[in-house]
Amino acid sequence: MSDVDAKELDRLLQQAFDTASKLYQERGFQRRVGFGKRPALVSVDLANAWTRPGNPFTCDQEKMDNEIIPGMQKLLKAFRAAGLPVIHVTTAYEITDRNAEFTDMGLWHNKIPVDVVNLKDTNLWAIDSRIAPIEGEYTLLKKRASAFHGTELGGILRAGGVDTILVTGVTACACVRQTVCDGLADGFRPIAVRDCIGDRVPGAVAWNLFDIDAKFGDVHSSDECVAYINGLAKASLAAE
Amino acid sequence: MSDVDAKELDRLLQQAFDTASKLYQERGFQRRVGFGKRPALVSVDLANAWTRPGNPFTCDQEKMDNEIIPGMQKLLKAFRAAGLPVIHVTTAYEITDRNAEFTDMGLWHNKIPVDVVNLKDTNLWAIDSRIAPIEGEYTLLKKRASAFHGTELGGILRAGGVDTILVTGVTACACVRQTVCDGLADGFRPIAVRDCIGDRVPGAVAWNLFDIDAKFGDVHSSDECVAYINGLAKASLAAE
Amino acid sequence: MSDVDAKELDRLLQQAFDTASKLYQERGFQRRVGFGKRPALVSVDLANAWTRPGNPFTCDQEKMDNEIIPGMQKLLKAFRAAGLPVIHVTTAYEITDRNAEFTDMGLWHNKIPVDVVNLKDTNLWAIDSRIAPIEGEYTLLKKRASAFHGTELGGILRAGGVDTILVTGVTACACVRQTVCDGLADGFRPIAVRDCIGDRVPGAVAWNLFDIDAKFGDVHSSDECVAYINGLAKASLAAE
Amino acid sequence: MSDVDAKELDRLLQQAFDTASKLYQERGFQRRVGFGKRPALVSVDLANAWTRPGNPFTCDQEKMDNEIIPGMQKLLKAFRAAGLPVIHVTTAYEITDRNAEFTDMGLWHNKIPVDVVNLKDTNLWAIDSRIAPIEGEYTLLKKRASAFHGTELGGILRAGGVDTILVTGVTACACVRQTVCDGLADGFRPIAVRDCIGDRVPGAVAWNLFDIDAKFGDVHSSDECVAYINGLAKASLAAE
């Protein structure tokens, strides 16, 4: 069994997406939800267990170091300059004994190695220092894939007047996708930031972003998102 | 732009899954959540708008007629014989004016054509007559992709002592996937019934079932599921 | 055992509220959440089983006919004139066999007679004809006390840009209170409309509105709410 | 304005409860939900800001020291001996600047002084040392009144096979009541432990426990709960 040829896979996936897009557009899918008036940045699981080497959760390091982290730095700069809300999401557990009859891992350790992310091992679930939270930014500690379902996120975003979420992080096929889908369900306009979303297996980013864009949120580059944020900031200054 | 070659796509996807599985297994993903003691059947959006031809939501008709409906009939027979809970899920909307400032479609009509499923057009969202609900089976009317997030489902399943959900229906990349992921998050063992899950674009079933099996629920055939249900029924008789 | 003297109870409760208010105000409770910019009317369980005589759920008829219904008529007129969202909430069940091992009543029929509100008996759970929904108003069918927890309400209100909920209906100590508390938690400014909230036992309205006002939402009269709505409508006209 | 006479208030409330109970029982309310097979202890906000003197959240100290803490110690002993799940719930915030445009307090600081419970001030929201968590017990950090709505609790309890929750803590009219009501909605049998539930204003415990018992959960003493837990443990030993 030899590994899949990444370029060949990409080429075939692109063909599949073209075929699907034709059907989707004929039928009225792939509409644009659009950017709203007050966005928040929701950055999912860009903590050391996912961003750094050597952990079962470690993601594709090339995209992480060359695209995701630099893209996030640009986004953070724009959000901070505009005084807009930033939420850093991470995941960790208190009772990580897989033989325990009760644990805050729920059933998830029966599918994936969440038992390695122990709450006491603070370095593991701390947000990567290259994009560390600053005063006034919220760090949400979740137990599930979604940043919305079974968390306080929807309530606090709404209380803060947010109508749009720019979603970044890892992984495309789990926590990012669930957050985008649930964000739309909870009434927010989800924008998936293409170059700031990673995974660890071939094709996962491409396929999941395609599904998201067809049905749950719009996919944009970090540059397009920064331009949007800067535009909001200018409009706000002009109005003062 | 020519359509993707389905066989070629399948071959490449299988290679991609093999490559991914190697990494996943080395790292402790793709674990088995397993069947529990008291299952419910959660059948998602097998209503006429999705199962029959001629609607924007119509799914792949070959799989629908030859695999999904016959598979569902086998599952329903087993669940009914065992006296186990069956939940039929469907989707429809009351305010489907896309220009309305307020609608129960939330923001979803900004991505997909949910505005065609009007609550008054009862035939559209009625469960397909080939697998129609009988007395004692619950029909859940949802507004979002997930059958759990923002619905009463988790609460009533728990109240009924259910620990396992067998998930069937359409589409793989939207409502089925969200239901499986949220089912695990809400504490249920999700089993995706491979031959009873459909979609409308090439590769969508394969890729989404691969992601589900890697991280959120186990994938089994309807025959394996029927054997499990029949086994429960026999064990229950033996215990009396 | 003789019935409580209603006037004497009111007098003592008022004393208790005065004592509590002193403590609350010294400590920083009883703050005002205030009216926001875009309200929705959330009218809870003003369906025939609750508003009309002869059902176990029937509420205090004097307040219903003389205050709640007339107050609701004024509110509906103002909301409709202003083109603001109205949500009518009701409650009914599909599987009402108390001996069933699985039912959409969950566990609630083990506390209260929800088994009388059968989905097939449409008259029971239809909104009272004196305040019937019109085109463009949403009727939410819930299974629990809260109109938010385990429903789509939070998501669709957010999607519609709503930041404030005016809550009316019955009963003060169950569905109304839960809706107010969960509304705040989900990020909306809850206003409990005093004269449009009823119950069926002595003291229940008074005590529950006191708790709400101290911690979860502001209590106002329907006249104050109508003035607020009319003010919004005028401001909106002036801005055009 | 003189303070209410506590004895006189209790006497009148008891009369009101008798009158209400007559109506409730005639109509089929005040049913028993009963104890189930696998309980968890859900102890709400028994952290220093609530259990110790000198904080705006400080509760009635006499009941705290003489009934709630000793009752909790008995319950913890029984749960630990039986190896049953214990969840300690507490509340604290990261962004407690009341002028911030975005905060994890949502809108709640517009009603009550949650801005005093800063996440950095760990002593404030630490569970009272007299009933401190031990290894294997979960501490849930919430942002809202309810321990269920907007948290992971329902999912992890269900994953752990729990069907019953014994609820203790403070305050009766806010976090305890919301937790009981949402627990039932999420499919768990709620038992409110009378002598382990406190508040800070006259009548609040009595009225809220009456409402709970009428509609949402059964009210029992800590001794009755300990007897139930010990009975489960014995039954379990006998079965081995």
Side-chain angles (χ1 to χ4, degrees):
Chain A
M1 186 174 91
S2 63
D3 279 357
V4 68
D5 179 311
K7 279 195 185 163
E8 185 66 4
L9 176 65
D10 282 352
R11 195 183 59 80
L12 258 287
L13 284 183
Q14 194 50 57
Q15 282 190 10
F17 300 158
D18 289 344
T19 300
S21 293
K22 207 161 52 179
L23 178 147
Y24 277 149
Q25 285 165 23
E26 283 166 11
R27 295 192 178 189
F29 292 80
Q30 289 188 342
R31 295 174 184 173
R32 297 298 90 191
V33 70
F35 289 102
K37 291 179 184 165
R38 184 168 157 81
L41 179 59
V42 178
S43 173
V44 181
D45 286 342
L46 291 177
N48 295 316
W50 291 264
T51 61
R52 308 283 189 177
N55 192 284
F57 286 110
T58 301
C59 293
D60 174 29
Q61 288 290 289
E62 200 179 309
K63 184 164 187 184
M64 185 59 68
D65 293 340
N66 298 331
E67 294 187 58
I68 298 175
I69 297 292
M72 272 296 296
Q73 289 168 333
K74 284 188 299 180
L75 284 168
L76 284 172
K77 193 177 159 193
F79 269 83
R80 288 165 183 172
L84 289 166
V86 173
I87 295 97
H88 303 264
V89 182
T90 187
T91 308
Y93 299 92
E94 215 169 295
I95 310 173
T96 55
D97 173 2
R98 287 174 63 183
N99 298 314
E101 283 191 70
F102 174 78
T103 153
D104 54 319
M105 301 184 295
L107 293 168
W108 212 6
H109 57 295
N110 293 300
K111 290 302 297 184
I112 67 170
V114 287
D115 38 297
V116 306
V117 203
N118 194 308
L119 196 62
K120 285 182 190 157
D121 199 347
T122 49
N123 182 57
L124 272 187
W125 56 274
I127 302 301
D128 188 300
S129 58
R130 293 169 289 180
I131 53 168
I134 62 168
E135 180 83 20
E137 293 177 356
Y138 181 50
T139 302
L140 175 79
L141 178 61
K142 70 180 173 59
K143 306 286 169 173
R144 308 171 169 190
S146 172
F148 283 97
H149 180 223
T151 81
E152 66 272 26
L153 187 55
I156 65 173
L157 288 179
R158 177 58 211 162
V162 168
D163 64 359
T164 301
I165 51 168
L166 274 54
V167 182
T168 60
V170 293
T171 62
C173 83
C175 301
V176 166
R177 180 170 175 150
Q178 286 293 103
T179 298
V180 165
C181 295
D182 284 348
L184 183 79
D186 269 353
F188 302 96
R189 297 176 190 275
I191 310 294
V193 189
R194 187 190 298 114
D195 48 304
C196 291
I197 291 172
D199 209 304
R200 48 183 93 84
V201 299
V205 171
W207 194 273
N208 282 286
L209 288 186
F210 178 75
D211 281 353
I212 286 171
D213 192 67
K215 298 188 168 180
F216 297 107
D218 301 350
V219 177
H220 284 283
S221 70
S222 60
D223 284 339
E224 290 165 333
C225 292
V226 166
Y228 156 63
I229 301 297
N230 290 344
L232 285 178
K234 273 184 205 157
S236 169
L237 278 176
E240 275 171 20
Chain B
M1 187 174 88
S2 63
D3 278 357
V4 68
D5 180 312
K7 279 195 186 163
E8 185 64 4
L9 177 64
D10 282 352
R11 196 183 57 79
L12 257 288
L13 284 182
Q14 194 51 57
Q15 281 191 10
F17 300 158
D18 289 344
T19 300
S21 293
K22 209 162 51 179
L23 178 147
Y24 277 149
Q25 285 166 24
E26 283 165 11
R27 296 193 179 187
F29 292 79
Q30 289 188 342
R31 295 173 183 174
R32 298 297 91 191
V33 69
F35 289 102
K37 292 178 183 165
R38 183 166 159 82
L41 179 59
V42 178
S43 174
V44 181
D45 287 341
L46 291 176
N48 295 317
W50 290 263
T51 62
R52 307 284 190 178
N55 192 284
F57 286 110
T58 301
C59 293
D60 173 30
Q61 288 290 289
E62 200 179 310
K63 185 167 186 183
M64 185 60 68
D65 292 340
N66 299 331
E67 293 187 60
I68 298 175
I69 296 292
M72 273 296 296
Q73 290 168 332
K74 285 187 300 180
L75 284 168
L76 284 172
K77 192 177 162 193
F79 269 84
R80 288 165 181 172
L84 288 166
V86 173
I87 295 98
H88 303 265
V89 182
T90 187
T91 308
Y93 300 91
E94 217 169 293
I95 310 173
T96 55
D97 173 2
R98 285 173 65 184
N99 298 315
E101 283 191 70
F102 174 78
T103 153
D104 55 319
M105 301 184 294
L107 293 168
W108 212 6
H109 56 295
N110 293 300
K111 290 301 298 183
I112 68 169
V114 287
D115 38 297
V116 306
V117 203
N118 194 307
L119 196 63
K120 285 183 190 155
D121 199 347
T122 50
N123 182 55
L124 273 188
W125 57 273
I127 301 301
D128 188 299
S129 58
R130 293 169 288 180
I131 54 168
I134 61 169
E135 180 84 21
E137 291 177 356
Y138 182 49
T139 301
L140 175 80
L141 178 61
K142 69 177 173 61
K143 306 285 168 174
R144 308 170 171 192
S146 172
F148 283 98
H149 181 221
T151 81
E152 66 273 27
L153 186 56
I156 65 174
L157 288 180
R158 276 178 206 117
V162 168
D163 64 359
T164 301
I165 51 169
L166 274 55
V167 182
T168 61
V170 293
T171 64
C173 83
C175 301
V176 166
R177 180 170 174 149
Q178 285 295 101
T179 298
V180 165
C181 294
D182 284 348
L184 183 79
D186 268 354
F188 302 97
R189 297 175 190 275
I191 309 294
V193 188
R194 187 190 299 113
D195 48 305
C196 292
I197 291 172
D199 209 305
R200 47 183 94 85
V201 298
V205 172
W207 193 273
N208 281 286
L209 289 186
F210 178 75
D211 281 354
I212 285 170
D213 192 67
K215 298 189 167 179
F216 297 107
D218 300 351
V219 177
H220 284 282
S221 69
S222 61
D223 284 340
E224 289 164 335
C225 291
V226 166
Y228 156 64
I229 301 298
N230 291 344
L232 285 177
K234 273 183 204 159
S236 168
L237 279 175
E240 276 171 19
Chain C
M1 188 175 90
S2 64
D3 278 357
V4 68
D5 179 313
K7 279 196 185 164
E8 184 66 4
L9 176 65
D10 282 351
R11 195 181 59 78
L12 258 289
L13 284 182
Q14 195 50 57
Q15 282 191 8
F17 300 158
D18 289 344
T19 300
S21 293
K22 209 161 51 179
L23 179 147
Y24 277 148
Q25 285 167 21
E26 282 166 11
R27 296 193 179 188
F29 291 80
Q30 289 188 341
R31 295 175 185 173
R32 297 299 89 191
V33 70
F35 289 102
K37 291 179 184 166
R38 183 167 157 82
L41 178 59
V42 178
S43 173
V44 181
D45 287 341
L46 291 177
N48 295 317
W50 290 263
T51 61
R52 307 283 190 175
N55 192 283
F57 287 110
T58 301
C59 292
D60 174 29
Q61 289 290 290
E62 201 180 308
K63 185 167 187 185
M64 185 59 69
D65 293 341
N66 298 330
E67 295 186 56
I68 298 176
I69 296 292
M72 273 295 296
Q73 289 169 333
K74 284 188 300 179
L75 284 168
L76 285 172
K77 193 177 161 193
F79 269 84
R80 288 166 183 171
L84 289 167
V86 173
I87 296 98
H88 302 264
V89 182
T90 186
T91 308
Y93 300 91
E94 214 170 297
I95 311 172
T96 55
D97 174 2
R98 286 174 63 183
N99 297 315
E101 283 191 69
F102 174 77
T103 153
D104 55 318
M105 301 184 294
L107 293 168
W108 212 7
H109 56 295
N110 294 300
K111 291 301 298 183
I112 68 169
V114 287
D115 39 297
V116 305
V117 202
N118 194 308
L119 196 63
K120 285 182 189 156
D121 199 347
T122 48
N123 182 57
L124 272 188
W125 56 274
I127 301 302
D128 189 301
S129 58
R130 292 169 290 180
I131 54 169
I134 62 169
E135 181 82 21
E137 292 177 354
Y138 181 50
T139 302
L140 174 80
L141 179 59
K142 69 179 173 61
K143 305 286 169 174
R144 308 170 170 191
S146 173
F148 283 97
H149 181 222
T151 81
E152 65 273 27
L153 186 56
I156 65 174
L157 288 180
R158 275 176 207 119
V162 169
D163 64 359
T164 301
I165 50 169
L166 272 55
V167 182
T168 60
V170 292
T171 62
C173 83
C175 302
V176 167
R177 180 171 175 150
Q178 285 294 102
T179 297
V180 165
C181 294
D182 284 348
L184 183 79
D186 268 354
F188 302 97
R189 297 176 189 275
I191 309 294
V193 189
R194 188 190 298 113
D195 48 304
C196 292
I197 291 172
D199 209 305
R200 49 184 92 84
V201 298
V205 172
W207 193 274
N208 282 285
L209 288 186
F210 178 74
D211 282 352
I212 285 171
D213 192 67
K215 298 189 169 179
F216 297 107
D218 301 349
V219 177
H220 283 283
S221 70
S222 60
D223 284 338
E224 288 164 335
C225 291
V226 166
Y228 157 65
I229 301 299
N230 291 344
L232 285 177
K234 273 183 203 157
S236 169
L237 280 176
E240 274 171 22
Chain D
M1 187 174 89
S2 63
D3 278 358
V4 67
D5 179 312
K7 279 195 186 164
E8 185 65 5
L9 177 64
D10 282 353
R11 195 182 59 78
L12 258 288
L13 285 183
Q14 195 50 58
Q15 281 191 10
F17 299 158
D18 289 345
T19 300
S21 293
K22 209 161 53 179
L23 178 148
Y24 277 148
Q25 285 167 22
E26 282 166 11
R27 296 192 178 190
F29 291 79
Q30 288 188 342
R31 294 173 184 173
R32 298 299 91 190
V33 70
F35 290 102
K37 291 178 183 166
R38 183 168 157 82
L41 178 60
V42 178
S43 173
V44 180
D45 287 342
L46 292 176
N48 295 317
W50 290 265
T51 61
R52 307 282 190 177
N55 193 284
F57 287 110
T58 300
C59 292
D60 173 28
Q61 288 290 290
E62 199 178 311
K63 185 167 186 183
M64 185 59 68
D65 293 340
N66 298 329
E67 294 187 58
I68 298 175
I69 296 292
M72 274 295 296
Q73 289 169 333
K74 285 188 299 180
L75 284 167
L76 285 172
K77 193 177 161 192
F79 268 84
R80 288 166 183 173
L84 289 166
V86 173
I87 296 97
H88 303 263
V89 182
T90 186
T91 308
Y93 300 92
E94 217 170 293
I95 309 173
T96 55
D97 173 2
R98 286 173 65 183
N99 298 316
E101 283 192 69
F102 174 77
T103 154
D104 55 319
M105 300 184 295
L107 293 168
W108 212 6
H109 56 296
N110 293 300
K111 290 302 297 182
I112 67 169
V114 287
D115 38 297
V116 306
V117 203
N118 194 307
L119 197 62
K120 286 182 190 155
D121 199 346
T122 48
N123 182 57
L124 272 188
W125 56 274
I127 301 301
D128 188 301
S129 58
R130 292 169 289 180
I131 54 169
I134 61 169
E135 181 83 21
E137 292 177 355
Y138 182 49
T139 302
L140 175 80
L141 179 60
K142 69 178 174 59
K143 307 284 169 175
R144 306 170 170 193
S146 172
F148 283 98
H149 181 224
T151 80
E152 65 273 27
L153 187 56
I156 64 174
L157 288 179
R158 178 57 212 164
V162 168
D163 64 359
T164 301
I165 50 168
L166 273 55
V167 182
T168 61
V170 293
T171 62
C173 82
C175 302
V176 166
R177 181 169 174 150
Q178 285 295 100
T179 298
V180 165
C181 293
D182 284 348
L184 184 80
D186 268 354
F188 301 97
R189 297 176 189 275
I191 310 292
V193 187
R194 187 190 298 113
D195 47 305
C196 292
I197 290 172
D199 208 306
R200 47 184 94 84
V201 298
V205 172
W207 194 274
N208 282 285
L209 289 186
F210 179 74
D211 281 353
I212 286 171
D213 192 68
K215 297 190 168 178
F216 297 106
D218 300 350
V219 177
H220 283 283
S221 70
S222 60
D223 284 339
E224 288 164 335
C225 293
V226 166
Y228 156 64
I229 301 299
N230 290 344
L232 286 176
K234 274 184 202 157
S236 168
L237 279 176
E240 275 172 21

